[in-house]
């Protein structure tokens, strides 16, 4: 298990260092190289983390038997974590897209700042909704 975590850490640090090196060179092809590095990182990170989760399942089941926690409770915790995590990822993507567009629009016409803030706030609301749903799930456990 510890080897998988070390491997994941090494992959992440290696990708970050590669991204900084490419960015410092200021190549025209830099964005393509960074995208390639991120694709490689995801292609290795996701299977390694999946393997880590699979190897942890026996330990989780053993701990669940000792603590007398049912399967529904464990799945409830997983559902709450997934709800919050996926909502924040979606909100981050939405704020990135809306925020950059809003910044460009405000630079052309400063009068529309209020309207753009509403759109950014709506995008941030996605994370709040995910957090509320996960709190509701945890309250049922």
């Amino acid at each position: 298990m510890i080897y998988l975590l070390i491997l994941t850490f090494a992959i992440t640090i290696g990708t970050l260092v590669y991204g900084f090196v490419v960015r410092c060179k200021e190549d025209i092809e830099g964005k393509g190289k960074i995208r390639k590095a991120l694709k490689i990182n995801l292609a290795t990170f996701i299977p390694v983390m999946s393997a880590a989760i699979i190897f942890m399942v026996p330990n989780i089941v053993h701990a669940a038997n000792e603590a007398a926690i049912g399967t529904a409770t464990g799945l409830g915790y997983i559902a709450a974590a997934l709800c919050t995590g996926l909502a924040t990822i979606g909100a981050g993507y939405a704020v990135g897209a809306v925020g950059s567009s809003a910044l460009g629009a405000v630079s052309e016409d400063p009068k529309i700042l209020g309207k753009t803030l509403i759109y950014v706030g709506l995008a941030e609301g996605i994370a709040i909704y995910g957090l509320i749903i996960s709190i509701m799930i945890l309250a049922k456990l």
Side-chain angles (χ1 to χ4, degrees):
M1 179 62 198
I2 191 78
Y3 297 119
L4 288 172
L5 294 175
I6 291 171
L7 178 65
T8 305
F9 182 73
I11 289 169
T12 306
I13 295 299
T15 304
L16 289 173
V17 169
Y18 180 74
F20 284 125
V21 168
V22 169
R23 183 73 175 151
C24 290
K25 287 184 181 179
E26 295 182 355
D27 287 340
I28 294 174
E29 302 173 359
K31 287 186 179 179
K33 288 182 180 180
I34 290 174
R35 286 183 182 166
K36 182 180 178 183
L38 288 174
K39 287 178 184 177
I40 292 171
N41 187 10
L42 285 176
T44 54
F45 181 78
I46 292 172
V48 168
M49 289 308 293
S50 299
I53 290 171
I54 289 170
F55 289 130
M56 286 174 46
V57 167
N59 294 336
I60 294 170
V61 171
H62 182 68
N65 288 338
E66 289 180 1
I69 297 175
T71 305
T73 304
L75 289 176
Y77 288 131
I78 292 173
L82 282 174
C83 184
T84 302
L86 293 175
T88 54
I89 289 171
Y93 184 76
V95 168
V98 172
S100 64
S101 299
L103 190 62
V106 169
S107 67
E108 291 182 11
D109 185 12
K111 296 176 188 174
I112 62 171
L113 177 65
K115 292 179 185 177
T116 59
L117 288 178
I118 292 171
Y119 292 126
V120 174
L122 288 173
E124 290 177 0
I126 297 170
I128 295 170
Y129 296 141
L131 182 63
I132 290 170
I133 295 299
S134 65
I135 290 171
M136 290 170 62
I137 291 170
L138 292 174
K140 292 286 183 179
L141 299 179

